[in-house]
């Protein structure tokens, strides 16, 4: 198996994983689920999906490490602060 | 550019040494991407912290949004990103004839996003909702519209890439333009991945 | 001088410095009128002094930009200027029109000037910074078009560089956005839109492109760093400027009768406006630290670094101070705005024009740089003007904070004029610091007349 084929497979699996995560998130966000308990899970899913896009589609896993750090750092920071905002809104 | 042929024809295996690591596309595009992420980040946090003061209003109005449309749009953007990824892979493998096909598929997905989004806007407009209706709708419209403008720009970028790919501009030795445009499109996708749960799902 | 036609810049620079002196004199007059209300009344009322102070600023900066462009473009394009004759002719047209305008401000009441100059045909007068009578506005357009024609033809004929393209983009934008000044709708909100589309899109949009291009040019010359590196920085700065600056216009829409969402759009985007200025600071220091030669013109390097720092402080930090809607709710139209205006205009635009003058003028006068003695004097003027501008800004900021407190935040708010009395001390301190600034300016002018051995010691 050559690199090109491995790369394509990897991309396809990434895509399928992203679609699965999206479906799960959509179900979690529905009215049947108790909303508050879904918050951390939805944020974690968003970060996980973002990391897949950054590493695989943007191909930053093959770029100088600081670029991956910057983009993943952005994701984690934004998600964490959103979590803080939601928590502070619960009270 | 100091990239050897073996690395170009393969699909960028993780490089053995730090020196082999390189950023796909032009540095300027990446700085642009960082600036965009910063703007979106500030917007997202403005939404989240404003919501903390109007929890009840945000929660009830959020339920009026079309979650299914949002989810389908996520699927379309992710699929477009995958197609763009495959287009770059095809260019890197020297399979010129497949580059423009993958780009065309990505364009179709992007167009699908636009159609779904316009349908959503039309429904909200018909319900008499505008930027001045409430804080939640102000954010919903501002955030999604700002992102929508990025999708439109992304489609223009993909269109240009498609035209140039048809003219045979991209191959293993000429990737810079294709990779730059691809990175921009992935950024549009990345931002939506946070925007969709934030505005449509989290409550 | 690499190209003979670069000499076209010289009269522009001389006029710029002359008008700069005038601007500062009128600044001192109106600064005194803040505390001695009837000073020079009725010969020069406050509103006239203010108009002359701001209009002279705009006019001399435009002279500086044009001079900078005439110097920079032939060298970047590696060809002679398309028409040095046109450049000379336009200099005189612009100078005479500018002088006549200022004299007419001083010679007659503003309403009379409006009547005489055809303001009842097309109403354009009476708006801050755009007070010019119709013939002057038309003249500005003619001069700008002739200038742009000249510059664009030169660029088209020669080498195209990132610096000259960005300069051209900035200058064309400057001319195009000025066209909004010809429309003055009677609806006050619409009027404000058109007004900001000139004023904001100038100073927080296209002027920044001109600033970036001039600074990048001088940095290439004095540091010897690769053009590629500098151009990459320039692209980044310009992109950031345009993203934050254009939507950032919203920070002027908060309280003028526009929908509430502008408070969000304006706050979010304008809060990011310091970033390009910060990038500019890092850019200037980074390039000077990586310099590959010791350019004998130390003064020009100092001005370039000063531009980086002061534009970030004045435009970036002092702008951010009052750009968020909840803060601006209390601060709009107070001395905080004046503080920001002073340091931003000085730090960004005055200093970049003085940078290009400092670099180009010795060459235009036939030597690579001024004598060490002249440079020392010039550097003294740099510190005198820059430090006094810092203090002017601090005093105005203090006056502004007090004003906001006494007049707007307090449980028992005081009337405007009572508050003005109470903050008089800060106005006095600002005025005396202004005198120091004038001394700095005199020292600056004097540095042009100091002879001495040209070789560095």
């Amino acid at each position: 198996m050559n690199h090109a084929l491995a790369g394509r497979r990897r991309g396809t699996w990434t895509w399928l994983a992203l679609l699965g995560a999206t479906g799960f998130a959509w179900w979690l966000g529905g009215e049947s689920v108790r909303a508050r308990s879904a918050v951390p899970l939805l944020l974690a899913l968003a970060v996980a999906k973002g990391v897949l896009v950054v590493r695989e589609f943007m191909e930053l896993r093959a770029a100088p490490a600081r670029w991956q750090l910057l983009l993943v750092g952005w994701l984690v920071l934004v998600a964490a602060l959103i979590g803080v905002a939601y928590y502070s809104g619960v009270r | 550019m100091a990239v050897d042929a073996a690395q170009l024809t393969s699909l960028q295996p993780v490089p053995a040494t730090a020196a082999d690591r390189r950023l796909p596309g032009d540095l300027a595009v990446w700085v642009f991407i960082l600036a965009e992420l910063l703007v979106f980040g500030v917007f997202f946090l403005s939404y989240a912290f404003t919501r903390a003061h109007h929890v009840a209003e945000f929660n009830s109005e959020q339920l009026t949004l079309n979650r299914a449309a949002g989810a389908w749009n996520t699927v379309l953007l992710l699929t477009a990103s995958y197609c763009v990824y495959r287009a770059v892979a095809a260019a890197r493998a020297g399979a010129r004839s497949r580059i423009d096909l993958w780009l065309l598929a990505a364009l179709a997905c992007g167009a699908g996003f636009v159609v779904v989004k316009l349908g959503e806007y039309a429904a909200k407009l018909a319900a008499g909702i505008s930027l001045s209706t409430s804080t939640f709708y102000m954010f919903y419209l501002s955030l999604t519209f700002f992102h929508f403008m990025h999708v439109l720009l992304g489609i223009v970028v993909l269109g240009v890439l498609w035209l140039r790919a048809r003219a045979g501009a991209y191959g293993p030795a000429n990737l810079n333009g294709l990779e730059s445009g691809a990175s921009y499109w992935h950024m549009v996708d990345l931002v939506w991945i946070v925007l969709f749960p934030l505005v449509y799902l989290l409550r | 001088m690499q190209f003979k036609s670069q000499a076209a810049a010289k009269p522009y620079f001389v006029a710029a410095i002359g008008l700069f002196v005038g601007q500062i004199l009128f600044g001192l007059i109106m600064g005194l009128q803040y505390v001695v209300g009837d000073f020079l009344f009725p010969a020069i009322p406050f509103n006239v002094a203010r108009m002359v102070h701001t209009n002279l600023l705009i006019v001399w900066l435009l002279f500086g930009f044009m001079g900078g462009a005439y110097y920079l473009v032939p060298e970047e394009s590696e060809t002679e200027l398309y028409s040095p004759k046109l450049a000379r002719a336009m200099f005189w047209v612009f100078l005479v029109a500018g002088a006549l305008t200022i004299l007419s401000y001083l010679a007659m009441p503003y309403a009379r000037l409006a009547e005489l100059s055809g303001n009842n045909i097309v109403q354009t007068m009476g708006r801050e910074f755009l007070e010019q009578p119709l013939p002057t506005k038309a003249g500005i357009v003619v001069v700008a078009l002739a200038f742009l024609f000249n510059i664009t033809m030169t660029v088209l004929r020669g080498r195209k560089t990132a610096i000259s393209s960005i300069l051209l983009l900035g200058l064309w934008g400057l001319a195009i956005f000025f066209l909004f000044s010809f429309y003055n709708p009677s609806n006050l909100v619409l009027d404000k839109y058109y007004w900001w589309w000139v004023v904001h899109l100038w100073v927080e949009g296209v002027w920044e492109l001109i600033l970036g291009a001039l600074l990048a040019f001088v940095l290439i010359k004095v540091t010897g760093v690769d053009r590629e590196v500098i151009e990459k920085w320039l692209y980044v700065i310009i992109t950031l400027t345009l993203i934050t600056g254009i939507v950032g216009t919203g920070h002027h829409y908060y309280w003028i009768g526009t929908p509430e969402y502008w408070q969000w759009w304006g706050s979010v985007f304008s809060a990011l406006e310091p970033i390009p200025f910060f990038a500019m600071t890092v850019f200037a220091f980074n390039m000077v630290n990586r310099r590959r030669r010791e350019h004998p013109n130390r003064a020009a390097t100092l001005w370039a670094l000063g531009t980086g720092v002061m534009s970030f402080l004045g435009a970036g930090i002092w702008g951010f101070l009052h750009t968020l809607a909840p803060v601006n709710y209390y601060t709009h139209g107070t001395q905080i705005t004046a503080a920001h205006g002073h340091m931003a205009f000085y730090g960004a635009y005055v200093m970049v024009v003085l940078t290009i003058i400092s670099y180009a003028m010795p060459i235009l006068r036939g030597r690579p740089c001024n004598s060490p003695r002249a440079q020392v004097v010039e550097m003294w003027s740099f510190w005198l003007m820059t430090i006094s501008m810092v203090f002017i800004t601090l005093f105005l900021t203090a006056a502004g904070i007090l004003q906001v407190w006494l007049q707007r935040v307090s449980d028992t708010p005081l009337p405007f004029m009572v508050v003005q009395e109470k903050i008089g001390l800060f106005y006095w301190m600002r005025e005396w610091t202004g005198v120091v600034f004038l001394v700095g300016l005199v020292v600056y002018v004097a540095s042009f007349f100091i002879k001495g051995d040209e070789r560095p010691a």
Side-chain angles (χ1 to χ4, degrees), chain A residues 20-90:
Chain A
T22 303
F24 184 44
W26 176 65
W27 176 78
L28 269 180
E31 282 169 63
S32 56
V33 180
R34 266 199 59 208
R36 200 166 294 162
S37 49
V39 168
L41 204 52
L42 280 169
L43 286 173
L45 272 175
V47 171
K49 285 163 75 179
V51 169
L52 278 180
V53 169
V54 167
R55 280 181 58 84
E56 303 298 328
F57 287 173
M58 285 179 156
E59 299 184 286
L60 287 189
R61 72 196 165 91
R66 60 177 176 278
W67 285 95
Q68 210 187 121
L69 202 70
L70 269 172
L71 268 80
V72 172
W74 176 84
L75 264 171
V76 171
L77 184 71
V78 167
L81 287 173
I82 291 173
V84 169
Y86 270 74
Y87 181 73
S88 74
V90 171

Side-chain angles (χ1 to χ4, degrees), chain B residues 31-32 35 38 50 131 138 142, chain C residues 236 239-240 261 264-265 269 275:
Chain B
V31 174
F32 188 67
L38 196 61
T50 307
L131 276 169
M138 191 283 290
S142 295
Chain C
V236 169
T239 312
L240 291 168
Y261 56 81
W264 285 99
W265 283 82
F269 282 87
I275 296 172

